[in-house]
Amino acid sequence: MWRRLRSALGRLRAPPAAPPAMERAVVRCVPSEPKLTLQLVLPDGSARHMQRDKAEPLGRVLARIAANTAKGNAKAAKKSKKARAAGAPAEEAPAEAPAVLLFSRDGEAVAEDVPNAAAWQDGAVLHIGEARYRVERNRPTLTELRLPRSLLAGFPVCPKVNTEFAAPQHCLFRWYQEQRPSAGGGAAAGDGPSWVETAVAERVFIPSNALVGLRLKLQCTPGDGAQRYGLPREVESSGPVEAGPGACIFDSRHVYTRKVCGEGSVRAVTYNILADIYAQTEYSRTVLYPYCAPYALELDYRQNLLKKELAGYSADLICLQEVDKSVFVESLAPALDAFGLEGLFKIKEKQHEGLATFYRRDKFSLLSQHDIAFSEALLSDPVHKELCDKLAKYPLVQEKVLQRSSVLQVSVLQSTSDPSRKVCVANTHLYWHPKGGHIRLVQISVALSHIKHVACDLYPSIPVIFCGDFNSTPSSGTYSFINSGSIAEDHKDWVSNGEEEKCNMHLSHPFKLLSACGEPAYTNYVGGFHGCLDYIFIDRNSLEVEQVIPLPSHEEVTTHQALPSVSHPSDHIALICDLKWK
């Protein structure tokens, strides 16, 4: 008896049954589009994807939903009627349209004359007869989820994550590894792979040597800052994890850059990363880099090394040259975004490679961009009229200058912790030809005049950090001009391609610039040449050098004869320094 009584009391105390889970009515409404979309599954199981004008009254959409529901119910009843084994009953009345109402999050009925854009708010509840639908407006959504084609043990795997109404830093990530077949035999024929979840729940995954030969799977759930989450998606790697090259030339440099610089300091990197369009030519394989194993020149392989190298520098500013457009979009921007860096790209005219500047989001915000192509700016910008007039006296040189596709990337950044601190970050890659010293002098004059316009006229007295591959050694006229502020009209570089292209111009600029990393023995080391071509120039009035990250030793650089190699992705070496405001 007591047992039955306790059971009855337990039933009385039990909480009421939870209401059935609501279906979803997903609304997409963005300012740039005249229509919104509504997706839902009606009570009869039919999916509906509706596009409606934002200004249309709500009542019209509700009436359409009611009509579609009635039509669906009628079809369902007809099917049921045909399925009956017994004789036909009397003719049934047409299905009535159910009551369709929309209620706000506060439980108030939304008036039918309210425009769609205002009516369909997140958290509202749609009633279709007895069915209930939770409105999810601009639900976090994955538009693209992709893993790199090449996976190396010990190197970061950075997925490409594109979202709408979400941000990668708010998404949820779960990584899985393929289960290795047991010694007794694999899975049955036709069965898919078996997956085991790893302990990693971060955006970036670094496979260990134990995963060599196994594929990876990523599940990503899109999310936003309000802790709303959309539907998860999964992606599997196209191939297994492969063995990495072991120690790389840049590993010893990472010892100095394990942590991001403190407040008031800026770590800057400049690096020519060797464009794939130049690495993957017969000339490159047989003449420029015959010492480099062919697989080490492949883009996928080099990208693994490059992403690990750049991520390990914990930089605040990264200026890259020879960046293939596809590499920026598909590889570098997604990878460095995962490490907190925002990327900007400027393509060279007539080519598929260009410049990329990355800045750390929690240290800087972008105020403005002022990118130019030298040839176009020289002809059209009044800032360069004086130089253009001088150049017109030397038609051969003028023609060569205007044929070049070189560009300058200029970004004005503002400190997130101290808005009074702004900096002009410039990035360039000057003409490459050994006999093109006179062309480079004209290009650098255009660059410095443009930087002056930005850093002195548009943003008075902000400091300058000027990075790039200047294709100029410390003994060149270009280096002397940048360092000293002027170049004489009788400098030997004006006749670098012989008397026929001789041009004599006196040029000057107002900056006091210093090579932050000094004059290394070389920043480019290939079979037939080594020399210092890359620099980080800083405004010596406003900035000073805290430390220069040591370059690799000569023994490390020449381990595989020259660069690039199986342990280094480019024929150049990155320059890295820590700067601070004076």
Side-chain angles (χ1 to χ4, degrees):
M1 183 179 75
W2 286 109
R3 187 178 298 164
R4 287 197 299 273
L5 184 59
R6 279 198 301 271
S7 175
L9 285 171
R11 286 195 297 272
L12 286 172
R13 292 187 188 127
M22 286 193 196
E23 297 288 340
R24 292 176 170 184
V26 180
V27 173
R28 182 180 180 275
C29 181
V30 294
S32 60
E33 298 176 12
K35 294 180 182 288
L36 59 72
T37 61
L38 170 64
Q39 297 179 71
L40 73 164
V41 177
L42 296 178
D44 70 323
S46 62
R48 286 288 184 270
H49 183 104
M50 305 170 70
Q51 283 197 328
R52 311 297 294 193
D53 287 331
K54 291 180 183 176
E56 176 189 51
L58 170 67
R60 291 186 188 176
V61 186
L62 299 184
R64 174 54 63 96
I65 293 172
N68 286 338
T69 304
K71 197 181 295 182
N73 290 343
K75 284 183 180 178
K78 194 172 181 181
K79 286 181 182 177
S80 174
K81 179 180 172 183
K82 286 182 179 178
R84 289 182 188 134
E91 190 69 26
E92 294 180 16
E96 289 186 11
V100 180
L101 300 168
L102 183 66
F103 291 86
S104 70
R105 296 177 68 169
D106 301 327
E108 299 288 331
V110 181
E112 292 192 352
D113 59 351
V114 175
N116 279 326
W120 296 94
Q121 295 297 323
D122 192 60
V125 177
L126 175 66
H127 292 209
I128 304 178
E130 298 298 318
R132 301 291 181 265
Y133 296 78
R134 173 79 61 189
V135 173
E136 294 185 358
R137 178 173 171 136
N138 295 344
R139 177 177 70 182
T141 305
L142 283 169
T143 57
E144 185 176 20
L145 181 65
R146 198 188 313 168
L147 292 176
R149 286 179 299 184
S150 172
L151 311 176
L152 294 184
F155 289 75
V157 178
C158 308
K160 186 178 183 186
V161 182
N162 283 332
T163 61
E164 188 176 42
F165 317 121
Q169 61 266 33
H170 299 304
C171 296
L172 305 178
F173 297 91
R174 298 173 71 177
W175 290 89
Y176 298 81
Q177 67 185 60
E178 196 174 21
Q179 193 164 26
R180 205 176 290 278
S182 61
D191 287 355
S194 182
W195 299 97
V196 179
E197 186 168 0
T198 71
V200 177
E202 304 292 333
R203 182 173 170 187
V204 177
F205 181 80
I206 302 178
S208 66
N209 287 328
L211 298 185
V212 170
L214 302 178
R215 293 191 304 137
L216 299 178
K217 181 173 78 170
L218 170 64
Q219 182 190 83
C220 177
T221 304
D224 63 13
Q227 293 189 320
R228 297 189 312 149
Y229 295 96
L231 297 178
R233 272 174 64 175
E234 292 184 348
V235 62
E236 298 174 10
S237 64
S238 58
V241 175
E242 297 176 337
C248 290
I249 288 175
F250 51 77
D251 287 339
S252 60
R253 308 184 82 189
H254 286 171
V255 173
Y256 300 90
T257 60
R258 284 184 180 140
K259 293 182 180 178
V260 175
C261 278
E263 205 61 54
S265 297
V266 178
R267 179 167 299 142
V269 174
T270 190
Y271 195 6
N272 180 325
I273 63 172
L274 180 57
D276 185 55
I277 59 171
Y278 305 140
Q280 291 296 319
T281 65
E282 189 63 25
Y283 183 73
S284 296
R285 287 189 288 266
T286 58
V287 178
L288 288 180
Y289 319 120
Y291 47 83
C292 184
Y295 75 86
L297 285 174
E298 294 288 335
L299 178 62
D300 288 345
Y301 181 87
R302 292 197 302 117
Q303 283 302 299
N304 272 298
L305 272 61
L306 187 61
K307 286 183 277 191
K308 181 178 182 180
E309 178 177 8
L310 291 175
Y313 291 147
S314 308
D316 302 309
L317 297 173
I318 301 178
C319 291
L320 303 178
Q321 303 84 43
E322 289 197 22
V323 183
D324 299 271
K325 184 177 181 180
S326 61
V327 167
F328 177 83
V329 173
E330 302 294 333
S331 179
L332 286 181
L336 294 180
D337 179 75
F339 292 96
L341 295 159
E342 191 75 29
L344 308 167
F345 183 71
K346 173 65 177 175
I347 197 163
K348 284 184 183 178
E349 294 179 349
K350 311 171 204 170
Q351 297 187 35
H352 298 287
E353 56 96 358
L355 307 171
T357 296
F358 292 86
Y359 61 92
R360 187 164 295 281
R361 273 190 300 266
D362 60 6
K363 273 199 173 181
F364 293 105
S365 60
L366 178 67
L367 285 183
S368 56
Q369 292 175 259
H370 307 271
D371 305 344
I372 60 168
F374 291 132
S375 57
E376 184 183 324
L378 190 57
L379 290 177
S380 62
D381 193 332
V383 168
H384 311 296
K385 186 179 186 309
E386 183 182 347
L387 176 61
C388 194
D389 290 344
K390 288 181 180 179
L391 193 59
K393 297 174 185 176
Y394 309 98
L396 282 177
V397 179
Q398 182 185 47
E399 184 184 4
K400 279 201 169 180
V401 169
L402 296 179
Q403 285 174 347
R404 304 278 72 82
S405 60
S406 307
V407 293
L408 173 72
Q409 191 176 31
V410 179
S411 312
V412 178
L413 305 177
Q414 183 177 45
S415 167
T416 54
S417 61
D418 183 356
S420 68
R421 282 182 174 167
K422 301 177 182 69
V423 62
C424 175
V425 180
N427 181 18
T428 197
H429 186 188
L430 300 185
Y431 181 47
W432 64 273
H433 201 285
K435 293 183 178 181
H438 57 320
I439 307 297
R440 286 187 285 276
L441 279 170
V442 176
Q443 289 183 333
I444 199 63
S445 181
V446 175
L448 290 166
S449 295
H450 184 70
I451 294 168
K452 173 183 176 291
H453 174 63
V454 174
C456 299
D457 301 337
L458 300 181
Y459 296 90
S461 303
I462 65 170
V464 171
I465 300 175
F466 191 7
C467 301
D469 176 355
F470 294 83
N471 272 311
S472 305
T473 62
S475 63
S476 68
T478 296
Y479 182 83
S480 175
F481 177 44
I482 297 170
N483 235 21
S484 67
S486 66
I487 188 80
E489 60 184 35
D490 60 350
H491 193 281
K492 61 182 176 63
D493 275 17
W494 288 123
V495 288
S496 57
N497 200 31
E499 289 291 327
E500 190 179 339
E501 288 186 21
K502 178 180 179 180
C503 58
N504 300 103
M505 292 186 282
H506 177 268
L507 302 174
S508 64
H509 69 80
F511 298 108
K512 303 294 182 187
L513 297 175
L514 166 75
S515 174
C517 298
E519 299 172 4
Y522 50 78
T523 60
N524 176 230
Y525 200 103
V526 295
F529 170 84
H530 63 271
C532 181
L533 304 177
D534 308 87
Y535 305 93
I536 299 173
F537 292 106
I538 63 170
D539 189 335
R540 66 175 83 201
N541 290 332
S542 306
L543 298 165
E544 59 184 341
V545 180
E546 267 191 326
Q547 71 162 340
V548 175
I549 306 306
L551 272 72
S553 68
H554 186 68
E555 289 70 29
E556 289 175 309
V557 172
T558 57
T559 300
H560 302 282
Q561 188 176 335
L563 305 178
S565 71
V566 294
S567 61
H568 193 78
S570 175
D571 54 346
H572 286 248
I573 300 167
L575 292 179
I576 313 149
C577 62
D578 292 353
L579 309 171
K580 67 177 180 179
W581 270 266
K582 282 189 173 179

